[in-house]
């Protein structure tokens, strides 16, 4: 067997599409970053690039995110040069395209700095990313060339709907808030719908998350103050008691088409900071540590008060860590009947 592997020299036919990625995770949540092989993605702004990808290259999203190359909970990022930041970034998942992703910001900061995609001096370098929701300012702590911790200042985040109630088929009346942290989320207390925020209720969390999201969308209007492309409910976040006494709480985010975030959700904890601040439950510059379904954590701090359109908002700062898990080469054989992927959820 060793001799056979030593003699392996296969090359894919030139007509096959060849795409290379770096795979990472933040708190257990995957991130697949495209590093070569993509056709040209046209557009000047991030939203224009995302729109072009959606209209012309969506088969790559499904082919790389879905089975057999990915899975129902895979997540991706497309990076490109920027006119006014270090990088432009937009995000892919099982349903389509998201507006902001905190776990990706943490992972990409590590990737960019450790691999030299962009070179920065010092042990506390800063990066600026353009994402669909706006500009993100990230900062790393580096020790012997390794990124040990990342924090980022998110876009203005705000409470959108407070203490609302909706009838959810199969569940009953559900009380919820909606807050924005780069994406809109419906927040529901897990105890109120008799859910546990661990693997024992994994499938039920997906089921309830999807039902609640659909019910809120059917009965309430979600509108971003400035961008129509950002005016949609991205997911449901269930909140509850932390498993460790030194942590503030735990949440589980069900987003897109029933994806379960393995991390504490960077944009989600940003929205929680805005929600708690608006309700008088969090002070400026007070940090809370929030657990995920895997037990990994993110810290979030409301750094400053601001306004965003007609809303009182805060600027959250989120911190966490990431790891690189692999480098992959994927092929699209034109004769493969599953070249564009499939999904079971």
């Amino acid at each position: 067997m060793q001799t056979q592997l030593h003699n392996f020299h296969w090359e894919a036919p030139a007509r096959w599409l060849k795409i290379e990625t770096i795979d990472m995770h933040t708190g257990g949540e995957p991130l697949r970053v495209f590093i070569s092989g993509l056709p040209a993605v046209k557009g000047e702004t991030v939203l224009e690039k995302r729109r072009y990808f959606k209209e012309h290259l969506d088969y790559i999203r499904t082919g790389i995110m879905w089975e057999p190359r990915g899975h129902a909970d895979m997540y991706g990022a497309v990076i490109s040069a920027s006119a006014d930041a270090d990088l432009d970034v937009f995000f892919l998942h099982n349903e389509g395209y998201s507006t902001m992703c905190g776990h990706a910001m943490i992972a990409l900061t590590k990737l960019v700095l450790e691999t030299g995609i962009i070179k920065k001096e010092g042990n506390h370098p800063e990066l600026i990313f353009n994402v669909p929701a706006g500009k993100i300012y990230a900062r790393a702590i580096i020790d012997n060339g390794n990124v040990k911790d990342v924090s980022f200042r998110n876009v203005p985040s705000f409470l959108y709907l407070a203490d609302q109630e909706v009838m959810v088929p199969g569940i009953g009346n559900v009380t919820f808030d909606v807050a924005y942290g780069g994406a809109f989320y419906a927040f529901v207390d897990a105890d109120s719908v008799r859910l546990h925020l661990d693997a024992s209720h994994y499938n039920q969390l997906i089921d309830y998350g999807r039902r609640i999201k659909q019910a809120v969308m059917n009965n309430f209007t979600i509108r971003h103050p400035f961008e129509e492309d950002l005016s949609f409910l991205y997911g449901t976040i269930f909140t509850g008691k932390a498993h460790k006494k030194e942590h503030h709480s735990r949440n589980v985010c069900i987003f897109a088409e029933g994806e379960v975030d393995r991390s504490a959700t960077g944009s989600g904890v940003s929205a929680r900071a805005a929600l708690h601040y608006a309700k008088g439950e969090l002070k400026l510059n007070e940090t809370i540590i929030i657990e995920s379904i895997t037990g990994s954590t993110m810290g979030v701090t409301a750094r400053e008060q601001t306004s965003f359109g007609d809303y009182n908002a805060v600027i959250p700062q989120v911190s966490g860590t990431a790891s690189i898990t692999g480098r992959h080469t994927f092929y699209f054989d034109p004769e493969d009947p599953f070249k564009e992927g499939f999904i079971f959820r």
Side-chain angles (χ1 to χ4, degrees):
M1 178 60 73
Q2 283 298 104
T3 301
Q4 291 173 345
L5 291 176
H6 181 72
N7 293 331
F8 180 80
H9 297 296
W10 179 81
E11 291 287 342
R15 70 181 186 279
W16 291 13
L17 179 62
K18 174 183 174 182
I19 290 177
E20 293 185 301
T21 69
I22 293 287
D23 276 25
M24 309 184 70
H25 79 86
T26 303
E29 177 67 5
L31 183 70
R32 180 162 284 170
V33 186
F34 293 80
I35 57 172
S36 72
L38 283 179
V41 180
K42 299 180 181 180
E44 296 298 320
T45 69
V46 171
L47 286 173
E48 288 174 357
K49 293 173 183 178
R50 187 179 72 161
R51 196 172 301 123
Y52 181 89
F53 200 101
K54 180 178 181 180
E55 293 173 356
H56 301 279
L57 302 172
D58 197 55
Y59 69 94
I60 295 177
R61 175 187 66 84
T62 59
I64 298 294
M65 297 296 106
W66 294 356
E67 294 185 54
R69 300 176 189 87
H71 53 78
D73 293 294
M74 182 52 71
Y75 200 93
V78 176
I79 60 177
S80 61
S82 175
D84 61 349
D86 289 301
L87 286 172
D88 288 349
V89 187
F90 62 88
F91 313 105
L92 320 174
H93 51 67
N94 70 10
E95 186 183 43
Y97 303 81
S98 59
T99 59
M100 167 54 188
C101 179
H103 93 271
M105 291 293 93
I106 292 168
L108 285 171
T109 300
K110 180 181 180 72
L111 177 67
V112 166
L113 295 174
E114 285 193 357
T115 62
I117 292 173
I118 294 174
K119 296 189 182 300
K120 298 278 184 173
E121 298 299 324
N123 292 326
H124 300 89
E126 297 183 353
L127 291 169
I128 302 174
F129 297 96
N130 279 333
V131 303
K135 271 191 167 51
I136 305 298
Y137 300 85
R139 189 170 187 261
I141 297 175
I142 295 182
D143 182 22
N144 292 323
N146 297 318
V147 174
K148 297 298 185 182
D149 188 79
V150 174
S151 62
F152 67 88
R153 290 171 72 91
N154 202 353
V155 296
S157 302
F158 56 90
L159 177 61
Y160 183 75
L161 295 172
D163 302 316
Q164 300 295 308
E165 191 172 276
V166 66
M167 171 59 74
V168 182
I171 301 176
N173 286 325
V174 174
T175 301
F176 69 95
D177 302 300
V178 172
Y180 177 84
F184 287 99
Y185 297 96
F187 289 87
V188 175
D189 177 74
D191 286 344
S192 72
V193 288
R194 298 172 297 282
L195 289 177
H196 299 302
L197 299 182
D198 56 36
S200 68
H201 276 193
Y202 177 82
N203 290 321
Q204 196 172 359
L205 285 161
I206 295 173
D207 180 34
Y208 276 35
R210 294 169 78 181
R211 289 173 188 255
I212 293 168
K213 176 183 172 180
Q214 192 61 52
V216 173
M217 289 193 303
N218 289 343
N219 291 278
F220 295 84
T221 299
I222 306 296
R223 181 165 292 121
H224 188 273
F226 305 109
E227 293 287 353
E228 187 61 32
D229 280 359
L230 311 184
S231 298
F232 62 94
L233 187 66
Y234 187 43
T236 303
I237 294 181
F238 297 102
T239 64
K241 295 181 179 65
H243 288 200
K244 293 187 176 181
K245 62 182 180 181
E246 64 267 29
H247 298 154
H248 175 270
S249 56
R250 172 173 284 223
N251 61 218
V252 177
C253 176
I254 313 299
F255 67 97
E257 186 52 44
E259 287 202 35
V260 180
D261 198 329
R262 275 70 171 157
S263 77
T265 311
S267 52
V269 299
S270 295
R272 283 196 64 185
L275 187 160
H276 292 308
Y277 181 79
K279 292 190 173 188
E281 300 164 353
L282 182 70
K283 299 176 182 177
L284 283 182
N285 296 313
E286 179 184 358
T287 299
I288 55 176
I289 306 298
I290 298 176
E291 300 171 351
S292 75
I293 193 171
T294 65
S296 64
T297 61
M298 287 181 178
V300 64
T301 310
R303 282 300 181 201
E304 61 183 82
Q305 184 176 334
T306 186
S307 59
F308 197 61
D310 295 331
Y311 297 93
N312 293 322
V314 296
I315 302 296
Q317 180 176 301
V318 179
S319 61
T321 60
S323 300
I324 295 173
T325 60
R327 180 171 183 167
H328 303 285
T329 301
F330 295 105
Y331 297 103
F332 283 67
D333 176 356
E335 297 178 7
D336 179 359
F338 297 113
K339 61 181 178 294
E340 294 186 12
F342 60 89
I343 185 170
F344 292 127
R345 169 51 79 207

